Amino acid sequence: MRKTITTSLLLATACGLTVSAHAAEWTMATPYGDASFHTQNNKQFAEDVAEATDGELTITVHSGGSLVSHGEIKPSVRRGTIDAGEVFLSVLSNDDPIFEVDTLPGVAGSYEDAYALWEATKPMITELFAYEGLIPLYAVTWPAQGIYTSEPLTDPEQFEGLRVRAPNINTQRFVDNLGGSPTETEESDIPTAFSTGRVDAMITSSSTGNSMAAWDYVTDYTDANLWLPKNIVFISQRSFDALDEATQEALMEAAAEAEKRGWEMSREDNQASLEALQENGISVSEPNDAVSEALQAAGDKLFEDWQSRADDEAKQALESYREQRDS
């Protein structure tokens, strides 16, 4: 009898170990804080995956750059030290100009256009990620970018020497074209950058201004509708291949839902954030004619530079988007 009980216990333990061995526990890094709708969307995605797979795949989202820095997220996923990550797509522009196409002024000025641009460029971006053993899961846009300043922006000459927070190389080029002095600053470092005088202004969305309490260090927001940039969430091909087929399907279904939900969250957050900025004393206005002309000229120069660096495939992707948009 004792032998029978012992054997049963061993079998039960073995079965438990077998189930545990098949469960996957992933880590995901994002540079954005918990107040960001992007992070909230990612956490909902993780919950959806856990529910859809009955716990066979769990994803722990590490926000605010707490796991690895923004610049190290993609290399970390590529090396396999973490399984998933989220980055601001245009920070990858040194890899290929296609990654910065959504930060070109005048290319996509609405949510509809921004999504069409994503659809047109997604095949090329997916291919480039695949070269590095990575799989894009979903991309979600930020609201349109504007300019935060400590005084009303009424004259293009105000850009001269202005120290502007610019989160990627294309925004830095844009600030240079305006005559300003670009400073690369992560979202989490914005309050410190302003308090220490490292930056005087910033180009970012209504959403970031709201989540970072911009009213503590600026007074005006020029809603310039410069561009609608995206974040991209991606995973290691190796981590994906280790999953069984059912779990892979559940993961991709949850990713498709996260993309759909994220774009809607962006729309809603933009409206709520603009209201919050005004409620907290920030003056929100559109650029006057003189400032608009300066922004247009800087954008035209930026686009010319992009064309000089982009290959035929990137140019064709942009042309396909424009044909679809104009049809």
Side-chain angles (χ1 to χ4, degrees):
M1 182 70 177
R2 181 176 180 181
K3 182 177 180 181
T4 303
I5 293 174
T6 302
T7 302
S8 298
L9 287 171
L10 287 172
L11 287 171
T13 302
C15 289
L17 289 173
T18 300
V19 171
S20 176
H22 285 297
E25 298 179 358
W26 284 8
T27 53
M28 175 179 174
T30 176
Y32 303 100
D34 291 332
S36 170
F37 73 88
H38 283 283
T39 302
Q40 294 165 14
N41 187 40
N42 292 335
K43 289 187 174 183
Q44 184 60 57
F45 163 68
E47 291 179 13
D48 292 347
V49 169
E51 181 178 356
T53 63
D54 292 327
E56 286 299 298
L57 174 58
T58 58
I59 304 173
T60 301
V61 179
H62 297 266
S63 60
S66 59
L67 189 63
V68 291
S69 66
H70 197 168
E72 282 300 308
I73 290 177
K74 182 165 171 270
S76 295
V77 179
R78 190 177 62 241
R79 290 192 301 265
T81 53
I82 60 176
D83 304 282
E86 177 184 39
V87 299
F88 194 50
L89 185 61
S90 57
V91 302
L92 308 178
S93 60
N94 285 337
D95 297 340
D96 195 282
I98 195 65
F99 292 127
E100 66 192 60
V101 70
D102 63 1
T103 58
L104 296 175
V107 171
S110 68
Y111 277 96
E112 292 77 15
D113 286 350
Y115 189 76
L117 181 62
W118 167 234
E119 288 286 286
T121 56
K122 184 176 180 179
M124 183 177 176
I125 289 172
T126 299
E127 184 178 2
L128 289 169
F129 269 66
Y131 289 150
E132 298 188 77
L134 304 172
I135 303 174
L137 286 184
Y138 54 92
V140 174
T141 191
W142 288 92
Q145 306 289 282
I147 308 170
Y148 290 84
T149 53
S150 56
E151 61 181 356
L153 185 58
T154 59
D155 190 332
E157 291 187 1
Q158 291 175 264
F159 288 117
E160 292 295 329
L162 191 69
R163 292 169 295 184
V164 183
R165 181 254 178 179
N168 58 80
I169 187 63
N170 228 30
T171 308
Q172 292 167 26
R173 295 187 185 109
F174 184 67
V175 173
D176 276 331
N177 293 345
L178 289 167
S181 177
T183 301
E184 186 174 0
T185 306
E186 289 292 344
E187 179 181 321
S188 58
D189 194 38
I190 288 174
T192 302
F194 272 97
S195 64
T196 59
R198 190 148 42 92
V199 298
D200 309 307
M202 64 180 175
I203 293 179
T204 191
S205 67
S206 58
S207 177
T208 297
N210 180 27
S211 65
M212 302 305 296
W215 45 86
D216 288 339
Y217 34 87
V218 297
T219 59
D220 289 78
Y221 178 62
T222 303
D223 194 3
N225 194 33
L226 296 173
W227 52 77
L228 284 80
K230 295 182 293 293
N231 284 0
I232 189 164
V233 174
F234 53 95
I235 60 173
S236 161
Q237 178 76 57
R238 180 167 46 193
S239 295
F240 182 76
D241 290 343
L243 304 174
D244 60 52
E245 185 176 348
T247 303
Q248 289 177 348
E249 291 179 359
L251 174 70
M252 299 310 288
E253 288 175 3
E257 185 60 30
E259 181 163 288
K260 178 181 178 182
R261 178 178 59 241
W263 283 71
E264 185 57 35
M265 290 176 73
S266 180
R267 290 176 181 268
E268 294 172 355
D269 194 84
N270 180 46
Q271 185 59 41
S273 292
L274 287 172
E275 293 173 1
L277 292 175
Q278 292 173 302
E279 289 170 0
N280 284 279
I282 288 185
S283 175
V284 177
S285 62
E286 295 183 359
N288 62 27
D289 290 344
V291 172
S292 291
E293 289 177 8
L295 295 174
Q296 182 64 52
D300 290 344
K301 187 176 179 181
L302 193 66
F303 185 75
E304 290 173 5
D305 175 69
W306 183 85
Q307 284 190 308
S308 71
R309 293 179 288 106
D311 61 19
D312 290 342
E313 187 176 2
K315 292 177 182 177
Q316 182 56 51
L318 180 57
E319 184 61 29
S320 295
Y321 152 73
R322 284 176 161 167
E323 289 175 357
Q324 177 184 343
R325 181 194 61 183
D326 297 337
S327 62

